[in-house]
Amino acid sequence: MRRHWLGYTLRVSLCALAATSALAAEAGKISDGVVKVGILNDLSGIYSDFTGKGSAAAAQIAIDEMGGKVLGAPVELVAADHQNKPDIAANLAREWFDQGKVDMIADFPTSSTALAVMEIAKQKSRVTMLSAGVAMAAINEKCSPLNAQWMVNTYALAAGTAKALLATGRKSWYFVTADYTFGHSLEKDASAVVEAEGGKVLGVSRHPFPGGDFSSFMLKAQSSGAQVIALANAGSDTINAIKQAAEYGIGRSDKQVIAPLLTYITDVKSLGLAKAQDMYLTEAFYWDYDERSRAFSEKYFAKMKRMPSASQAAVYSATLNYLKAIEKAGTDEAGAVMSTLRGMTIDDAVIRNGHLRADGALVHDMLLLQVKKPSESKRDWDFYNVRSVLKGEDVFPKPSDACPLNAKG
């Protein structure tokens, strides 16, 4: 009996040793024995509401869903505030890559920070996933084989909203634009859609970033007589512009509407339905769209006591699919992971019918939403009517010759 027990013990020990060796072998495929994900965004400023701590919480949900490990190696999360300044973002990225051994950085609510870190990541052979950075330069002249613009870009945002309003006969437009890379890109792409669809841009007012007093810009837009006052800004700039417009009665009639080109659910929450009602907007994610989106959002709500913005949801999707790509590739080597991602169909609680192009654009379905009237809302965060699903091929821009990765072989 004792001999039998010893034999059993030996077999169990050998099996445990084999399992441990297998895990060690798997972990050996991971550089430094750990996968580190970095979230770099605005923790205290104008964009902290729709990115900030909520983005880190979303990334952690993805890590937890993977069991906290990939290929037997632990997954760690770090986060920092880039204060919307490209020099601070660049310095943090260098420190993370060189000393912290971070493998991938996501988020970047300002395009200038995204473009700065993309270049460093390419030099260091690390991955960037722009879940909030939306400038077209990231997939055009500044494209990188190690970068993914994971949620949207300015053209996709502009195309959905602009086409919907143009279809209602609203042909004349005036832009109130944040005076930096992101605002210029959003204005340019929306203007191109407007003009291509037979509309006309009557004028532009560019405001400092971040802005404070929008009254003069909104009054000038009103006096232009444009049927659409398009806001090419984001965050508290958008919120303040809409609030101040409401004080002057701007955009409260059928003759003239306000169209924010980048609006998050957190912005609508801050505005309240009374001020935001009936606005059209294009989003990549809405928490109450279907069962899968609700399941993820309830996990998020349990952590943050609020529903996720589309940008925060994008961090979840980017982190989850990055880890899945490592698992599928059998390594965390940046080039192999990105190649694997480009061969995957992206379909999760956030992204539907997605595929990653050579230039880094993640093309996927989008949602055309209209803000509900207060009387239509059944609960807190019940803010939108889904008017249509916009196919990715219809709203995302075609690959540009400006990106050398799109060159025909």
Side-chain angles (χ1 to χ4, degrees):
M1 184 74 175
R2 185 169 179 272
R3 188 175 302 168
H4 175 74
W5 173 251
L6 286 172
Y8 174 78
T9 303
L10 179 60
R11 285 195 299 274
V12 170
S13 298
L14 288 172
C15 287
L17 180 62
T20 301
S21 298
L23 286 174
E26 279 195 328
K29 299 174 183 177
I30 299 296
S31 58
D32 308 304
V34 61
V35 174
K36 287 192 177 182
V37 173
I39 304 300
L40 197 53
N41 65 21
D42 180 354
L43 289 173
S44 56
I46 185 173
Y47 297 147
S48 59
D49 201 30
F50 67 82
T51 60
K53 294 178 181 178
S55 291
Q60 189 62 55
I61 292 172
I63 292 168
D64 292 344
E65 288 185 5
M66 293 292 291
K69 291 184 178 181
V70 62
L71 295 179
V75 181
E76 296 180 1
L77 179 69
V78 294
D81 186 352
H82 63 30
Q83 300 175 43
N84 300 316
K85 296 178 180 178
D87 57 332
I88 292 177
N91 289 335
L92 283 167
R94 284 194 188 92
E95 182 180 332
W96 278 1
F97 291 147
D98 292 341
Q99 300 173 33
K101 307 302 180 184
V102 169
D103 299 287
M104 183 273 281
I105 305 180
D107 218 358
F108 311 106
T110 42
S111 298
S112 57
T113 61
L115 295 173
V117 175
M118 277 176 60
E119 183 59 32
I120 297 167
K122 186 164 65 171
Q123 295 169 7
K124 304 287 185 180
S125 295
R126 308 297 169 85
V127 173
T128 48
M129 303 184 81
L130 278 53
S131 39
V134 297
M136 288 288 290
I139 59 169
N140 288 344
E141 67 272 16
K142 299 292 186 180
C143 69
S144 164
L146 302 182
N147 178 67
Q149 193 171 54
W150 198 255
M151 196 52 140
V152 293
N153 52 54
T154 53
Y155 185 93
L157 290 167
T161 305
K163 288 182 178 181
L165 289 172
L166 287 159
T168 67
R170 294 179 170 93
K171 300 292 187 180
S172 59
W173 289 57
Y174 190 100
F175 286 87
V176 176
T177 301
D179 193 12
Y180 76 110
T181 304
F182 155 72
H184 297 169
S185 182
L186 192 53
E187 176 200 312
K188 176 185 175 183
D189 294 327
S191 297
V193 173
V194 169
E195 292 170 354
E197 298 289 325
K200 185 176 182 181
V201 177
L202 301 185
V204 177
S205 289
R206 294 192 172 96
H207 66 80
F209 168 75
D213 184 1
F214 290 87
S215 56
S216 62
F217 303 116
M218 299 306 291
L219 287 167
K220 189 173 181 181
Q222 181 188 42
S223 66
S224 73
Q227 294 167 301
V228 179
I229 300 173
L231 302 180
N233 51 22
S236 60
D237 281 348
T238 299
I239 293 168
N240 290 333
I242 294 171
K243 284 181 176 178
Q244 290 172 32
E247 293 172 4
Y248 291 95
I250 301 172
R252 311 309 290 179
S253 71
D254 289 337
K255 292 183 178 179
Q256 193 172 60
V257 298
I258 296 175
L261 298 177
L262 176 55
T263 308
Y264 290 99
I265 196 169
T266 47
D267 301 331
V268 176
K269 175 71 170 177
S270 296
L271 285 164
L273 292 182
K275 288 185 174 69
Q277 62 182 307
D278 297 326
M279 290 193 313
Y280 280 91
L281 56 122
T282 301
E283 281 266 41
F285 172 82
Y286 176 41
W287 74 268
D288 201 22
Y289 175 62
D290 64 11
E291 288 300 323
R292 284 196 291 169
S293 60
R294 284 189 285 272
F296 157 68
S297 299
E298 292 299 342
K299 289 181 183 179
Y300 183 91
F301 190 90
K303 285 179 173 286
M304 301 301 295
K305 306 308 177 189
R306 60 192 303 175
M307 290 302 177
S309 71
S311 179
Q312 290 157 343
V315 172
Y316 160 82
S317 176
T319 304
L320 182 67
N321 285 283
Y322 172 73
L323 296 176
K324 286 182 176 180
I326 291 176
E327 191 172 65
K328 190 171 182 179
T331 177
D332 65 346
E333 193 278 318
V337 172
M338 292 304 293
S339 178
T340 301
L341 271 174
R342 289 187 171 90
M344 292 167 55
T345 296
I346 309 300
D347 193 81
D348 55 37
V350 177
I351 300 295
R352 308 299 168 85
N353 302 315
H355 66 274
L356 186 64
R357 294 192 322 211
D359 57 12
L362 179 65
V363 178
H364 57 94
D365 292 350
M366 302 276 285
L367 301 173
L368 179 65
L369 307 169
Q370 189 175 23
V371 180
K372 289 183 174 182
K373 294 178 172 60
S375 60
E376 296 177 300
S377 180
K378 305 303 181 185
R379 56 168 285 189
D380 196 15
W381 299 99
D382 176 23
F383 292 163
Y384 298 142
N385 288 311
V386 178
R387 293 308 183 197
S388 64
V389 176
L390 308 173
K391 296 300 180 184
E393 291 73 16
D394 296 332
V395 292
F396 278 83
K398 303 300 181 187
S400 169
D401 291 339
C403 173
L405 300 174
N406 291 327
K408 301 294 188 294

